[in-house]
Amino acid sequence: LAKERGVVCLQARRWRRAPASRAAMGACLSIAGPLPQQRALFFPDRAMPCRQALKGQPCRRKHCTYEHDASRSSLMQLLAVIGDATTTLDVCVFTITCNELADAIIAAAKRKVRVRVITDDIQATSQGSDVSELARTPGVTLRTDHQKEAHMHHKFALVDGTTLVNGSFNWTRAAVLTNYENVAITSGAPGLIGEYTREFERLWRAFA
C-alpha cells in the first residue's frame, strides 16, 4: 500500500507539471485501486439515543432529553455500521455494558448474520455486563480468554469481513457519555482488514 501511494503521489506531481500526463495519472490510479474509505467517530456523546429514534419512529415525548439526530451521535452512527451487517459480525472487545450495542449484536443474529464475540473473562461477569445475555442468544457464539493473569483488551469489530471498526472505545455506557474516546471505521482496505481478520481467527482458535 505504501508503495502504491508513492506511485500515486509521484504521478500527481508530474500531472501538475504537465497536463498531458493526465492519461498516465488515470492509468496509475487504476493500477493502485480505490483508496480506502475511512471516517472517525469521537466521544463522549451529548446524550444516549432515543429508543424511538433508533427504531426510525417519531418520538412522542414533549421534552425528550435523548438524542434524535444521528449526525450528532457517534453511538447512533456506530450502531448503523453494525446494523449494516448482512453475512458476518465478529466482535472482539474488552467489555460490553452498553445495552444499545448489545441489542445491535442480538439484532444481527436475528437477521441470520453469523455472529461471533470474543471478550475478557473477568469483565464478562462484572456488574452490568451484557455478555451473559449474548451467550444465551441463539445465533451468537461467544468465547472468553480464560486468562486470569491477563486481559483480552482488544477493541475492534469486523462487519461482513469488509469493514473494520476499531479504536480506544470500550463498548460501555461510560465510554459513550463520559470518556474521551475514538472509533475509526475503515472499508476498502483489504490488507489492514485482513490483518485484523487473522488476529480474530487466531484468538478464536486459542480460546476454544
Side-chain angles (χ1 to χ4, degrees), residues 12-30:
R13 289 195 293 271
R14 291 175 179 172
W15 179 81
R16 284 194 289 268
R17 293 173 187 165
S21 300
R22 292 176 183 176
M25 178 66 172
C28 177
L29 288 172
S30 65

Side-chain angles (χ1 to χ4, degrees), residues 27-89:
C28 177
L29 288 172
S30 65
I31 293 173
L35 294 176
Q37 297 179 358
Q38 298 174 307
R39 60 191 173 107
L41 305 176
F42 297 99
F43 296 86
D45 280 348
R46 181 185 67 86
M48 295 299 288
C50 174
R51 289 281 181 174
Q52 294 302 111
L54 289 178
K55 297 176 182 178
Q57 300 174 358
C59 178
R60 297 180 180 179
R61 296 188 183 97
K62 291 184 178 180
H63 304 289
C64 183
T65 59
Y66 293 94
E67 186 59 72
H68 300 82
D69 185 353
S71 68
R72 299 193 303 177
S73 170
S74 291
L75 178 59
M76 291 176 74
Q77 294 177 56
L78 176 56
L79 291 171
V81 174
I82 298 172
D84 285 340
T86 59
T87 57
T88 62
L89 175 62

Side-chain angles (χ1 to χ4, degrees), residues 37 84 86-88 157-165 185-190 193-194 197:
Q37 297 179 358
D84 285 340
T86 59
T87 57
T88 62
L158 295 154
V159 179
D160 291 340
T162 59
T163 298
L164 169 67
V165 175
I185 300 171
T186 305
S187 59
I193 293 171
T197 300

Side-chain angles (χ1 to χ4, degrees), residues 146-158:
H146 302 300
Q147 296 179 355
K148 301 300 181 183
E149 70 281 3
H151 288 298
M152 203 305 297
H153 209 244
H154 280 309
K155 304 170 187 70
F156 71 89
L158 295 154

Side-chain angles (χ1 to χ4, degrees), residues 55-192:
K55 297 176 182 178
Q57 300 174 358
C59 178
R60 297 180 180 179
R61 296 188 183 97
K62 291 184 178 180
H63 304 289
C64 183
T65 59
Y66 293 94
E67 186 59 72
H68 300 82
D69 185 353
S71 68
R72 299 193 303 177
S73 170
S74 291
L75 178 59
M76 291 176 74
Q77 294 177 56
L78 176 56
L79 291 171
V81 174
I82 298 172
D84 285 340
T86 59
T87 57
T88 62
L89 175 62
D90 292 330
V91 177
C92 186
V93 293
F94 177 55
T95 183
I96 305 173
T97 63
C98 176
N99 293 341
E100 287 80 1
L101 286 165
D103 289 345
I105 295 172
I106 293 171
K110 290 181 178 179
R111 296 195 305 272
K112 305 303 181 183
V113 173
R114 186 200 68 182
V115 178
R116 298 184 294 177
V117 177
I118 297 174
T119 192
D120 184 73
D121 60 339
I122 297 175
Q123 289 300 311
T125 58
S126 64
Q127 184 177 3
S129 175
D130 292 309
V131 169
S132 59
E133 181 181 2
L134 293 174
R136 295 192 301 267
T137 300
V140 176
T141 308
L142 188 143
R143 294 179 182 176
T144 62
D145 56 334
H146 302 300
Q147 296 179 355
K148 301 300 181 183
E149 70 281 3
H151 288 298
M152 203 305 297
H153 209 244
H154 280 309
K155 304 170 187 70
F156 71 89
L158 295 154
V159 179
D160 291 340
T162 59
T163 298
L164 169 67
V165 175
N166 71 309
S168 69
F169 179 75
N170 274 313
W171 289 28
T172 67
R173 186 182 180 91
V176 175
L177 294 177
T178 306
N179 299 341
Y180 293 94
E181 307 277 6
N182 69 82
V183 172
I185 300 171
T186 305
S187 59
L192 176 64

